[in-house]
Amino acid sequence: MSRPVVPISVVDIGDAEVRRVEEVLRSGRLAQGPVVEELETEFARMHGVTHAIAVSNGTTALTAALQALGVKPGDEIITSPFTFVATLNAILEVGAVARFADVGPDYCISADSVAPLVGPRTIAIMPVHLYGLPADMGPIHQLAERHGLAIVEDAAQAHGAKVEGRSAGSWGIGCFSLYATKNVTSGEGGIVTTNDAGIADRIRLLRNQGMRARYQYEIPGHNYRLTDLQAAIALPQIARLGHINSRRNQNASYLDAGLSDLEHLRRPVTPEGREHVFHQYTVAVRSSSPLDRGTVVSELAKDGVTAGVYYPKLVHDYDCYRGIPQVRPDPTPTATEWSKSVLSLPVHQRLAVTDLDHVIESTRRLLG
Ligand SMILES: *Cc1c(COP(=O)(O)O)cnc(C)c1O
């Protein structure tokens, strides 16, 4: 019997997106314009911030945030070693030094793991809200205040997530991605959120060649612009975000219930006070398991379940980063353990109950 394939992610495009893109195409105005502005207004409102600045992708969002803070070569930024490579690349792009705090059972860095790394060169803390679960921002915010540090949140996977009732991306400078597989997508795209008018102004300048008014250049800038075509794809999804995130949460609860008694499997945690948006549903294969992670992933694939491994190594554990003085690989044993044992199961909003049952059955057959 051949099983249908259950994909790990979905590009969820509906009629509303098609309609809005067609409107832009027919308007003859394809680059940054009123639709980008509409996206910014909606995104800021949804995340409870005063400014949202749309940029070309999540990586440029991170880079622009650091540039707007005036990060200089040699300044240190404390981040997570258990993240997508863009987090580290943005730090290197501005010439800063990356320090790595360990992550906890929530797969995120914490105030406790960051504190010992804070020194005279530290300029910012860059937590990553991994898999859609925001880091424990209350204590991180207090630590940053105490030491006069900026916070740049890598919220690429956490649109609409909350901590203590406040949106991810509203605790510092928030950097979101609209890449094809994210909970909100425009193919490629990014958004920076902030309550600081000065930061917002600098990011708007940096985004458009440093230009304030036509041919009036204030700073050397870049082209970080998003297009109205892309904003037209993202807008209907922003309107659906509550629905998307609640479907993902329902699917996660369904998987939780179906997998709860598997002793070799660790299910994801959602600590008190945090609202997960389940960009990924990430489990870990315990060391007690007779099957290792690689075997579980390949056996699931044979059964039509595409499990992802995010991320198979710590972000700095690649030859291209070795020996670079800007990359300081502080020891992070828990992150190392997760990188060897995690896998993500399909949880996206377009899964049917039969898909979820299939994921549960296949996983139980291997680890039950
Ligand atoms: C996707 C992602 C980014 C980068 O976003 P792009 O839009 O692909 O440039 C950064 N950090 C994390 C954690 C991501 O998942």
Side-chain angles (χ1 to χ4, degrees), residues 65-77:
L66 296 175
Q67 289 168 334
L69 283 169
V71 173
K72 296 179 307 300
D75 287 344
E76 291 184 9
I77 296 176

Side-chain angles (χ1 to χ4, degrees), residues 185-244:
T185 177
S186 60
E188 297 272 9
I191 298 190
V192 185
T193 51
T194 177
N195 287 317
D196 182 324
I199 293 287
D201 184 62
R202 274 199 291 288
I203 291 173
R204 287 181 195 285
L205 284 177
L206 287 165
R207 170 174 69 174
N208 193 23
Q209 313 287 4
M211 189 167 81
R212 169 89 53 200
R214 198 164 177 77
Y215 302 135
Q216 186 194 319
Y217 303 105
E218 283 190 11
I219 51 172
H222 308 264
N223 177 355
Y224 291 155
R225 295 184 304 265
L226 191 75
T227 66
D228 269 18
L229 272 173
Q230 292 163 308
I233 306 173
L235 265 166
Q237 296 177 32
I238 298 291
R240 285 204 301 275
L241 185 58
H243 172 74
I244 291 170

Side-chain angles (χ1 to χ4, degrees), residues 56-60 62 83-87 128-130 154-157 176-179 181-182 188-190 279 311:
S56 48
N57 57 62
T59 311
T60 51
L62 290 165
T83 181
F84 182 56
V85 73
T87 319
V128 180
H129 305 315
L130 200 66
D154 184 337
Q157 305 184 356
F176 294 83
S177 167
L178 306 177
Y179 180 66
T181 56
K182 303 289 156 88
E188 297 272 9
H279 173 60
Y311 295 93

Side-chain angles (χ1 to χ4, degrees), residues 322-344:
R322 265 184 265 287
I324 298 182
Q326 285 170 264
V327 179
R328 301 256 298 269
D330 308 276
T332 53
T334 306
T336 301
E337 185 188 325
W338 294 143
S339 70
K340 291 178 178 157
S341 60
V342 294
L343 64 101
S344 301

Side-chain angles (χ1 to χ4, degrees), residues 33-277:
V35 188
V36 164
E37 208 175 307
E38 187 183 339
L39 174 65
E40 292 176 336
T41 305
E42 281 305 302
F43 203 87
R45 194 182 52 76
M46 286 205 61
H47 289 81
V49 294
T50 42
H51 308 276
I53 305 101
V55 294
S56 48
N57 57 62
T59 311
T60 51
L62 290 165
T63 307
L66 296 175
Q67 289 168 334
L69 283 169
V71 173
K72 296 179 307 300
D75 287 344
E76 291 184 9
I77 296 176
I78 303 170
T79 190
S80 171
F82 192 46
T83 181
F84 182 56
V85 73
T87 319
L88 174 56
N89 285 340
I91 294 172
L92 298 181
E93 180 74 25
V94 298
V97 172
R99 303 292 308 264
F100 300 96
D102 206 357
V103 300
D106 59 354
Y107 303 128
C108 297
I109 63 172
S110 65
D112 286 346
S113 68
V114 169
L117 298 175
V118 175
R121 305 300 304 269
T122 310
I123 186 148
I125 305 172
M126 194 189 268
V128 180
H129 305 315
L130 200 66
Y131 311 134
L133 177 68
D136 190 9
M137 291 309 295
I140 290 174
H141 189 252
Q142 281 169 18
L143 180 71
E145 295 264 282
R146 200 152 61 240
H147 295 277
L149 306 176
I151 295 175
V152 176
E153 301 172 67
D154 184 337
Q157 305 184 356
H159 321 70
K162 288 188 173 157
V163 196
E164 298 169 23
R166 267 177 75 176
S167 290
S170 74
W171 294 80
I173 307 179
C175 302
F176 294 83
S177 167
L178 306 177
Y179 180 66
T181 56
K182 303 289 156 88
N183 288 21
V184 176
T185 177
S186 60
E188 297 272 9
I191 298 190
V192 185
T193 51
T194 177
N195 287 317
D196 182 324
I199 293 287
D201 184 62
R202 274 199 291 288
I203 291 173
R204 287 181 195 285
L205 284 177
L206 287 165
R207 170 174 69 174
N208 193 23
Q209 313 287 4
M211 189 167 81
R212 169 89 53 200
R214 198 164 177 77
Y215 302 135
Q216 186 194 319
Y217 303 105
E218 283 190 11
I219 51 172
H222 308 264
N223 177 355
Y224 291 155
R225 295 184 304 265
L226 191 75
T227 66
D228 269 18
L229 272 173
Q230 292 163 308
I233 306 173
L235 265 166
Q237 296 177 32
I238 298 291
R240 285 204 301 275
L241 185 58
H243 172 74
I244 291 170
N245 288 346
S246 73
R247 280 301 305 271
R248 285 173 176 266
N249 266 279
Q250 284 162 18
N251 292 347
S253 301
Y254 196 90
L255 291 171
D256 270 344
L259 302 172
S260 65
D261 59 331
L262 298 186
E263 57 175 321
H264 301 309
L265 192 84
R266 179 190 185 273
R267 285 172 294 119
V269 297
T270 305
E272 189 73 32
R274 287 188 252 176
E275 290 176 38
H276 205 316
V277 294

